[in-house]
């Protein structure tokens, strides 16, 4: 997932700067880009010192601005950027620009925070890109800020590998910069291979962040980044959970830190602790919306946490509570003013369908009328209709499940054929997904459809269920920080239940034990395992 995050980041960035490129920007924004070739410049005359007291989690760094308040807002925005609070960061940088329209780092931050924010923010992105170039070319521009601008240009124009070198140079040149090493680590991370081994970039990222923590053990952003580097590791160690707790302690008002802790606890199977952490994140998000008069459409962090909490409750076996939480997320009204905002996209793709998807995931299906009632209604005009694919996929899966229960094999086969057609149409929607800033959600929908297709085949041919489910088991991955698993159970559970029904108790128990490696303490899997062991005695 770490690598895919970079791909999404870059895709969004390239899409966002397309009009800037059309405006004659070829190569970097600086005609002769250099991180070290400029004479060390002094900050603009009369720059006041920053206040001695910094907000929780914020670290000091010189920011070229005539406004002390703008300096502080930029530093707060930098911290939000490094803890995956993009819209919070945007509002900080935007506020800084209202105080000082010539603050290069505020323009830099606005570009960074709006990379994945959708077409509605295109004008702000392009304006800040152009203005940053102009400010970077001024002779009185601080060299460190020019280096930041150049590093962003390298990322946009040449990609992450070249950008890694740019950030590495910033780190070595300005050794007291508290933020550059963490941006460098974010670019380095390349996740884990199929055997769970970290990539070379991942190892280097860990070394970089641990060096920062050695110097500044209380840095919220560094603690967040250190735990983040393990988000999709084969297992989450107690030390990483403790690191996430320290990130919360460094700034108890950070919704991102509480969400990170929730993710780490979820991965260890502490679903009760995870649910509590996600709930705290939700509360902080709602307080932020109220304090800043922000629409839920711009608060994707709220939807990420409430959706993750619903899935946590499902994995704990509290199915009705999970569905109630999911229904609350699904009932948030869509904001017609922001049809492509980050929060809106989460509503369209994930929140609107989660109540029905959780019902369909129960070990015992509820009445079909209840599930039908949980499905979302027609999508209002003006919203991207590609997201209807999530509803269509779940709908065909529902039809197959109930047809199989009734013994209607022809209807199961019909649902499979319709599902295949839907997935083919969705696969042709890659360009639309990019235009609608929905690539990651579109990919999750295809992943869910693939798993559902395997399950439907196992319903059609129960004697060869192991054949159909084996690929689904191999392809399922650990959940990531940003979103809960696309289905709230390990794929092995489906096959384990088929084995249990067929009286293959040893095979069922073996699969349950395998499933618990990815979903520790999953209530449904534990229940199936207990039945297999008691029946096999």
């Amino acid at each position: 997932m770490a690598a895919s995050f970079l791909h999404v980041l870059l895709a969004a960035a390239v899409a966002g700067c397309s009009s800037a490129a059309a405006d004659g920007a070829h190569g970097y924004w600086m005609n002769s880009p250099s991180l070290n070739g400029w004479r060390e410049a002094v900050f603009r005359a009369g720059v006041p010192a920053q206040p001695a007291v910094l907000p929780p989690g914020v670290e000091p760094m010189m920011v070229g601005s005539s406004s002390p308040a703008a300096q502080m807002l930029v530093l707060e925005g930098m911290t939000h950027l490094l803890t995956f609070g993009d819209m919070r960061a945007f509002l900080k940088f935007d506020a800084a620009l209202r105080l000082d329209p010539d603050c290069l780092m505020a323009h830099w931050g606005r570009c960074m925070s709006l990379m994945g924010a959708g077409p509605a923010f295109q004008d702000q992105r392009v304006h800040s890109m152009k203005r940053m170039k102009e400010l970077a070319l001024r002779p009185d521009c601080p060299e460190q800020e020019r280096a930041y601008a150049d590093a962003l240009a390298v990322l946009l124009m040449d990609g992450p590998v070249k950008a890694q070198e740019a950030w590495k140079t910033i780190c070595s040149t300005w050794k007291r910069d508290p933020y550059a090493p963490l941006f460098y680590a974010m670019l380095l991370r390349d996740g884990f291979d199929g055997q769970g081994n970290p990539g070379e970039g991942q190892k280097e990222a860990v070394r970089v962040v641990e060096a920062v923590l050695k110097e500044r053990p209380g840095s919220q952003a560094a603690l967040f980044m250190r735990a983040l580097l393990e988000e999709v590791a084969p297992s989450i160690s107690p030390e990483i959970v403790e690191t996430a707790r320290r990130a919360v302690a460094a700034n108890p008002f950070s919704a991102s830190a509480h969400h990170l802790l929730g993710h780490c606890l979820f991965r260890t199977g502490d679903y009760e602790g995870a649910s509590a952490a996600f709930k705290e994140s939700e509360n902080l998000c709602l307080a932020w919306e109220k304090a800043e008069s922000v629409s839920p459409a711009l608060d994707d962090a709220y939807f990420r946490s409430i959706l993750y909490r619903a899935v946590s409750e499902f994995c704990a076996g509290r199915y009705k509570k999970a569905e109630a939480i999911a229904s609350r997320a699904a009932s948030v009204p869509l904001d017609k003013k922001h049809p492509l905002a980050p929060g809106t996209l989460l509503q369209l793709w994930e929140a609107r369908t989660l109540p029905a998807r959780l019902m369909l995931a129960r070990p015992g299906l509820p009445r079909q009328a209840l599930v039908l009632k949980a499905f979302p209604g027609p999508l209002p005009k003006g919203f991207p209709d590609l997201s209807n694919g999530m509803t269509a996929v779940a709908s065909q899966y529902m039809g197959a499940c109930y047809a199989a229960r009734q013994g209607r094999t022809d209807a199961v086969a019909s649902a499979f054929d319709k599902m295949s057609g839907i997935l083919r149409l969705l696969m042709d929607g890659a360009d639309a997904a990019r235009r609608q800033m929905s690539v990651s959600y579109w990919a999750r929908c295809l992943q869910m459809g693939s798993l559902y297709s395997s399950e439907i085949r196992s319903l059609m041919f129960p004697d060869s269920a192991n054949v159909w489910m084996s690929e689904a088991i191999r392809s399922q991955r650990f959940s990531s920080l940003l979103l809960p698993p696309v289905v709230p159970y390990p794929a092995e559970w489906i096959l384990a239940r088929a084995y249990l029904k067929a009286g293959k108790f040893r095979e069922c128990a073996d699969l349950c034990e395998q499933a618990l490696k990815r979903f520790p303490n999953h209530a449904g899997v534990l229940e199936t395992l207990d039945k297999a062991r008691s029946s096999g005695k």
Side-chain angles (χ1 to χ4, degrees):
M1 291 297 295
S4 64
F5 166 78
L6 263 185
H7 292 154
V8 172
L9 174 75
L10 288 172
V14 171
C17 69
S18 58
S19 61
D23 193 38
H26 300 290
Y28 308 153
W29 289 320
M30 279 65 84
N31 292 331
S32 302
S34 170
L35 295 171
N36 298 304
W38 292 75
R39 178 175 54 82
E40 187 69 29
V42 296
F43 280 89
R44 299 184 185 97
V47 175
Q50 294 168 6
V53 179
L54 297 169
V58 175
E59 297 189 73
M61 185 180 85
M62 237 348 163
V63 175
S65 173
S66 58
S67 167
Q71 291 176 338
M72 188 56 60
L73 288 165
V74 167
L75 296 181
E76 290 185 73
M78 297 280 275
T79 303
H80 285 310
L81 270 182
L82 286 164
T83 54
F84 282 32
D86 287 357
M87 292 312 298
R88 285 163 174 74
F90 162 67
L91 290 181
K92 294 295 182 183
F93 294 126
D94 210 45
L97 287 172
R98 287 196 292 272
L99 295 172
D100 181 1
D102 290 338
C103 179
L104 184 148
M105 289 305 294
H107 285 292
W108 179 91
R110 192 158 72 163
C111 292
M112 288 285 287
S113 60
L114 293 180
M115 280 186 178
F121 295 90
Q122 175 78 347
D123 290 345
Q124 290 103 315
R125 276 194 299 264
V126 172
H127 170 74
S128 279
M129 288 173 186
K130 291 180 176 179
R131 188 64 185 134
M132 182 169 54
K133 174 184 177 180
E134 294 167 357
L135 292 168
L137 290 172
R138 282 170 45 164
D140 63 343
C141 176
E143 186 172 347
Q144 184 177 3
E145 299 192 3
R146 184 178 290 118
Y148 264 80
D150 191 43
L152 177 55
V154 175
L155 175 64
L156 295 176
M157 304 301 180
D158 285 354
V161 175
K162 291 287 188 181
Q164 288 172 16
E165 291 302 314
W167 282 108
K168 185 177 182 179
T169 305
I170 295 175
C171 295
S172 61
T173 305
W174 291 278
K175 297 183 185 297
R176 297 179 62 185
D177 185 325
Y179 299 106
L182 304 179
F183 286 115
Y184 177 42
M186 188 182 291
L187 287 169
L188 280 171
R189 64 196 187 114
D190 54 6
F192 300 81
D193 63 21
Q195 287 70 49
N197 300 312
E200 290 304 314
Q202 193 78 4
K203 294 177 186 177
E204 179 62 19
V206 169
R207 286 193 289 268
V208 169
V209 176
E210 288 187 343
V212 173
L213 286 172
K214 187 175 181 179
E215 291 186 9
R216 303 191 305 280
S219 167
Q220 183 212 350
L223 289 165
F224 185 99
M225 189 61 62
R226 182 63 190 91
L228 175 69
L229 289 173
E230 309 294 328
E231 65 163 329
V232 292
S235 63
I236 301 295
S237 68
E239 292 77 15
I240 291 301
V241 174
E242 179 57 28
T243 299
R245 292 191 190 281
R246 288 168 58 199
V248 170
N251 184 1
F253 305 106
S254 168
S256 296
H258 286 281
H259 184 93
L260 173 69
L261 176 59
H263 167 73
C264 291
L265 293 172
F266 180 92
R267 287 290 318 280
T268 65
D270 181 359
Y271 300 119
E272 184 174 353
S275 182
F278 290 130
K279 177 60 176 174
E280 187 62 31
S281 176
E282 290 170 43
N283 290 339
L284 288 166
C285 287
L286 292 173
W288 175 73
E289 289 179 21
K290 183 177 180 180
E292 301 287 343
S293 299
V294 173
S295 165
L298 302 179
D299 193 7
D300 55 317
Y302 168 77
F303 289 103
R304 295 186 193 282
S305 290
I306 193 171
L307 295 175
Y308 223 142
R309 182 160 73 98
V311 172
S312 298
E313 294 291 346
F314 181 95
C315 292
R318 296 186 282 266
Y319 302 128
K320 289 187 177 180
K321 184 175 182 180
E323 290 156 15
I325 294 169
S327 296
R328 191 150 59 250
S331 66
V332 176
L334 291 168
D335 188 342
K336 294 182 180 180
K337 294 181 180 179
H338 300 97
L340 291 176
T344 303
L345 294 177
L346 270 167
Q347 288 180 272
L348 297 177
W349 285 93
E350 302 282 343
R352 295 176 79 241
T353 59
L354 187 60
R357 288 189 282 133
L358 291 180
M359 287 185 177
L360 292 171
R362 282 195 209 174
L365 284 173
R367 290 187 297 109
Q368 189 171 7
L370 291 176
V371 182
L372 284 170
K373 188 177 179 181
F375 265 90
L379 193 64
K381 291 182 179 180
F383 292 92
D385 58 2
L386 187 64
S387 61
N388 283 329
M390 202 78 160
T391 304
V393 167
S395 177
Q396 295 308 317
Y397 176 66
M398 176 189 67
C401 289
Y402 286 101
R405 171 183 277 190
Q406 297 160 5
R408 297 167 50 221
T409 55
D410 57 334
V412 176
S414 175
F416 176 79
D417 290 340
K418 290 177 181 177
M419 173 82 80
S420 300
I422 292 168
L423 292 177
R424 284 194 296 271
L425 287 173
L426 275 170
M427 290 181 70
D428 292 336
D431 289 339
R434 279 190 286 270
R435 289 194 303 272
Q436 297 171 9
M437 310 300 288
S438 301
V439 171
S440 59
Y441 306 120
W442 168 77
R444 276 171 60 88
C445 183
L446 289 173
Q447 179 190 352
M448 186 182 79
S450 176
L451 176 59
Y452 280 170
S453 294
S454 297
E455 290 188 34
I456 294 174
R457 280 183 177 267
S458 70
L459 293 172
M460 294 166 62
F461 308 104
D463 293 337
S464 56
N466 62 318
V467 174
W468 306 118
M469 291 305 300
S470 58
E471 175 58 30
I473 291 170
R474 284 194 299 270
S475 63
Q476 197 170 26
R477 295 290 181 263
F478 297 105
S479 60
S480 70
L481 170 72
L482 293 181
L483 282 170
V486 68
V487 293
Y489 52 82
E492 294 93 338
W493 188 37
I494 303 300
L495 184 53
R497 285 155 58 188
Y499 280 151
L500 182 65
K501 187 176 181 180
K504 298 179 179 180
F505 305 122
R506 173 68 64 81
E507 292 88 341
C508 174
D510 289 345
L511 269 173
C512 286
E513 289 173 355
Q514 181 180 333
L516 290 171
K517 295 178 182 178
R518 188 163 52 249
F519 281 73
N521 300 325
H522 190 284
V525 177
L526 289 174
E527 181 183 9
T528 303
L529 178 60
D530 287 343
K531 289 179 180 178
R533 286 174 173 170
S534 60
S535 300
K537 290 180 180 178

